[in-house]
Amino acid sequence: MAIAPLPERRVDLEVVADLVQPGARVLDVGCGDGGLLHLLAEKRGVDGRGIELSQQGVNECVARGLSVIQGDADTDLEDYPDDSFDYVILSQTLQATRDPRLVMANLLRIGRRAIVSFPNFGHWRIRASLVLRGRMPVTQNLPHAWYETPNIHFCTIRDFLALTEALDAKVERAVALNGNGARIPFNAPWEFWNLFGEQAVFLLRR
């Protein structure tokens, strides 16, 4: 039986992949259909593993030959030993976890480095929707209505930076992205990106 091709690749995954050293040991937490693991194997030659909550996602990954198990980031990361991987990646998943601080602490414990990407709830369009319309926003990066969204802990870029300080994590690199997930090709203070960046990717270490 033919294996279905991977869906069109998210642009932001290219940005994440560029932060990973070739040949690294990688754990992708909340790996979905395996798009990032597939890209990392193809582009960076990594030794990749994944953990995914949905059975459908696990099935899609396994069908494509990826090493993925079913698990919950909120509870199952505790089972991994310290420094098990060179990189632990949490891509567009932090806002859907029940305990983001604990999840982040585990990422930094399990991996020598952590890569985290998330939608920025401080973007000006979201602020405008709340102020002018008085309603929770629905955008390209936050496409679900409030009553059906899997996201339960929205944060802004400034909120995330405060969490990294609370965890005593060092930001090695950080990239602001537009709504399509592409890198914004100029530098600015994070106060600026907290208002105008629609997504962000952070490379962290303990």
Side-chain angles (χ1 to χ4, degrees), residues 109-120:
R109 177 185 62 79
I110 296 167
R112 299 181 186 280
R113 286 175 172 80
I115 299 174
V116 182
S117 69
F118 57 92
N120 173 31

Side-chain angles (χ1 to χ4, degrees), residues 125-157:
R125 286 195 183 92
I126 293 175
R127 301 188 194 199
S129 180
L130 289 168
V131 171
L132 300 177
R133 300 175 62 234
R135 299 186 61 181
M136 291 295 289
V138 176
T139 69
Q140 180 178 348
N141 295 301
L142 299 168
H144 302 284
W146 66 270
Y147 50 81
E148 60 185 5
T149 180
N151 301 318
I152 56 177
H153 284 111
F154 292 112
C155 73
T156 69
I157 289 173

Side-chain angles (χ1 to χ4, degrees), residues 72-75 77-78 90 93-107 152-153 163 167:
D72 187 335
D74 280 295
T75 57
L77 293 180
E78 297 283 351
L90 190 72
T93 302
L94 182 65
Q95 70 277 2
T97 62
R98 293 188 297 276
D99 191 340
R101 177 170 179 147
L102 176 61
V103 170
M104 282 285 297
N106 275 319
L107 299 184
I152 56 177
H153 284 111
L163 177 57
L167 293 170

Side-chain angles (χ1 to χ4, degrees), residues 22-206:
R25 293 170 298 130
V26 175
L27 176 66
D28 185 6
V29 180
C31 60
D33 60 18
L36 178 57
L37 282 173
H38 184 268
L39 174 63
L40 286 168
E42 180 182 78
K43 184 175 181 180
R44 311 299 275 178
V46 306
D47 177 8
R49 302 286 186 272
I51 177 172
E52 167 58 29
L53 183 60
S54 75
Q55 186 63 58
Q56 179 181 350
V58 174
N59 292 345
E60 291 177 358
C61 290
V62 172
R64 295 185 171 96
L66 300 171
S67 179
V68 173
I69 62 171
Q70 188 169 24
D72 187 335
D74 280 295
T75 57
D76 295 329
L77 293 180
E78 297 283 351
D79 297 333
Y80 287 86
D82 297 357
D83 295 325
S84 302
F85 295 90
D86 298 311
Y87 296 86
V88 181
I89 300 173
L90 190 72
S91 175
Q92 300 292 332
T93 302
L94 182 65
Q95 70 277 2
T97 62
R98 293 188 297 276
D99 191 340
R101 177 170 179 147
L102 176 61
V103 170
M104 282 285 297
N106 275 319
L107 299 184
L108 292 161
R109 177 185 62 79
I110 296 167
R112 299 181 186 280
R113 286 175 172 80
I115 299 174
V116 182
S117 69
F118 57 92
N120 173 31
F121 204 70
H123 187 264
W124 71 266
R125 286 195 183 92
I126 293 175
R127 301 188 194 199
S129 180
L130 289 168
V131 171
L132 300 177
R133 300 175 62 234
R135 299 186 61 181
M136 291 295 289
V138 176
T139 69
Q140 180 178 348
N141 295 301
L142 299 168
H144 302 284
W146 66 270
Y147 50 81
E148 60 185 5
T149 180
N151 301 318
I152 56 177
H153 284 111
F154 292 112
C155 73
T156 69
I157 289 173
R158 290 185 67 184
D159 287 327
F160 184 80
L161 286 168
L163 177 57
T164 65
E165 291 177 4
L167 293 170
D168 198 26
K170 177 178 175 56
V171 177
E172 289 198 337
R173 290 184 63 186
V175 183
L177 309 178
N178 63 24
N180 294 322
R183 185 191 307 263
I184 299 176
F186 61 90
N187 294 322
W190 280 112
E191 290 79 5
F192 178 88
W193 294 128
N194 196 53
L195 186 59
F196 293 105
E198 294 191 53
Q199 305 176 64
V201 180
F202 283 82
L203 173 63
L204 309 170
R205 67 173 173 83
R206 292 192 296 273

